[in-house]
Amino acid sequence: MAADFTGFLEFTRSGQHNAGRLLEADRWKLLEIEPGRLLVECHVPDAVLNLAGSVFGGFTPTYVDFIAIWTCMTTMDGELSWVSTMNMRIDYFEPLVPPGFVVEGKVRNRRKRDFLVETTFTDADGRIAAFALTQLRQMGTLAPPDAVK
């Protein structure tokens, strides 16, 4: 039976998660979901903009982490598990600008506890703005906070 990660998704989007609050994840829209794949419309808050008005490159990995972790969770059966980022590589092609962009996460490989996830950022003009490969590891049972249950 596939795990239901909507509780975790809502926790990270509720403002209780520091990074979710910073990225205003409560304003994101889950467009598509299937095992091993997510499509999310992400909002860009003013707090992450550089002087040129685009997302400061150092915040991009936070978007990648959220999407990659959520994508891994779509493949889990039974109880959710903590997923930890082991390695991440990001290539930047176009600036990420307000009001937002679409991010697709895909599990490209899973072996035992390890995942390889690709994350593609598409801008409003349909161009690939950034691309990431992330290796993640399933660490064990997802422990509270209570809101995660």
Side-chain angles (χ1 to χ4, degrees):
M1 172 183 219
D4 179 4
F5 83 108
T6 55
F8 182 77
L9 177 66
E10 289 309 311
F11 168 72
T12 57
R13 295 178 64 204
S14 69
Q16 297 177 65
H17 189 288
N18 290 331
R21 187 170 46 252
L22 174 71
L23 296 179
E24 298 177 5
D26 59 314
R27 297 182 63 182
W28 297 5
K29 293 181 184 139
L30 186 58
L31 301 176
E32 295 178 22
I33 181 173
E34 60 188 72
R37 183 177 169 273
L38 279 180
L39 192 65
V40 180
E41 183 179 285
C42 295
H43 162 74
V44 176
D46 291 342
V48 302
L49 297 178
N50 61 26
L51 296 176
S54 60
V55 173
F56 176 74
F59 286 110
T60 307
T62 308
Y63 286 98
V64 172
D65 230 12
F66 270 121
I67 301 301
I69 289 168
W70 292 350
T71 303
C72 291
M73 287 182 170
T74 68
T75 69
M76 293 180 186
D77 292 325
E79 293 293 315
L80 293 178
S81 297
W82 281 117
V83 180
S84 184
T85 301
M86 307 305 288
N87 189 33
M88 182 187 297
R89 187 195 95 205
I90 303 173
D91 296 307
Y92 300 90
F93 305 108
E94 302 289 340
L96 295 167
V97 297
F101 43 84
V102 173
V103 184
E104 182 178 35
K106 286 185 186 177
V107 173
R108 301 312 273 168
N109 192 51
R110 182 175 183 188
R111 184 171 187 272
K112 297 183 182 181
R113 298 183 318 139
D114 291 333
F115 295 85
L116 180 66
V117 176
E118 74 177 34
T119 309
T120 306
F121 292 71
T122 304
D123 69 14
D125 294 324
R127 299 175 298 196
I128 294 176
F131 179 85
L133 278 176
T134 309
Q135 178 193 359
L136 303 104
R137 181 163 294 152
Q138 192 170 350
M139 302 303 286
T141 304
L142 185 63
D146 290 336
V148 176
K149 292 181 182 176

